[in-house]
Amino acid sequence: MQTRTRHAVIIGFIAVVALVWFFWDSPERAIRAVLAEGASAIEAKDLGAAMSQVSRQYLDENGLNYLAVRRVLGWAFNRFQQLEVRMYDVRIDINDERATATAMLKVVLTANGRERHSLVGASGLPEPVTFILAKEPLAWKVVSVNGIDISRVQY
């Protein structure tokens, strides 16, 4: 009887470990981590960490590529004292090696200690933004961010 109990406990333990591993190492979790780490890096004004979430093949609907995004972020980090990035209602759709994450995004910049500017999200309200990600050899990377109307950027 003790042998059966011991085997049942071992099998149960292995099943729990397998389930935890499966859900912990899920693509959705990895994609959420990419978005969260990117937002945190931008708020910390860490250009290297922010760009580590972006693919070298980045190209968005505004025509910005990897180097242009790097230059814009570097300018913003030098120009503004604080950057606040807020993402709400993140929804992820995974299709093999590509994924689409839609979210409500708000980015607020602070200059001169008090002066606040909306980069994304007019009137303080978040705007819908779509992140396209691709699975690269070591990690998921952002290959495009769409839904940001740069003609309306207020700063």
Side-chain angles (χ1 to χ4, degrees), residues 17-102:
V17 168
L19 285 172
V20 168
W21 179 261
F22 177 75
F23 287 111
W24 179 257
D25 195 34
S26 74
E28 184 172 340
R29 187 206 56 81
I31 290 166
R32 286 185 186 279
V34 166
L35 297 176
E37 290 169 13
S40 294
I42 290 171
E43 288 183 338
K45 297 169 67 170
D46 184 343
L47 186 60
M51 294 308 295
S52 72
Q53 309 304 322
V54 179
S55 172
R56 298 269 181 182
Q57 282 72 44
Y58 181 94
L59 184 62
D60 65 25
E61 64 188 7
N62 295 309
L64 297 178
N65 63 13
Y66 177 88
L67 292 175
V69 169
R70 183 178 183 86
R71 193 170 301 144
V72 167
L73 281 178
W75 171 83
F77 292 169
N78 289 327
R79 169 79 171 81
F80 298 99
Q81 295 169 333
Q82 183 180 9
L83 294 91
E84 295 175 36
V85 180
R86 299 290 176 256
M87 269 189 279
Y88 310 94
D89 302 327
V90 179
R91 294 189 176 102
I92 299 172
D93 180 35
I94 302 168
N95 190 2
D96 293 328
E97 303 294 311
R98 305 264 304 168
T100 303
T102 56

Side-chain angles (χ1 to χ4, degrees), residues 64 68 71-73 75-83 107-112 115-123 127 148-155:
L64 297 178
R71 193 170 301 144
V72 167
L73 281 178
W75 171 83
F77 292 169
N78 289 327
R79 169 79 171 81
F80 298 99
Q81 295 169 333
Q82 183 180 9
L83 294 91
V107 179
V108 177
L109 311 171
T110 304
N112 303 325
E115 194 177 328
R116 296 171 62 87
H117 307 278
S118 289
L119 181 63
V120 178
S123 303
E127 292 183 5
I148 299 174
D149 183 2
I150 59 174
S151 68
R152 291 187 307 118
V153 172
Q154 303 170 11
Y155 58 86

Side-chain angles (χ1 to χ4, degrees), residues 9-20:
V9 168
I10 291 171
I11 290 171
F13 178 74
I14 291 171
V16 168
V17 168
L19 285 172
V20 168

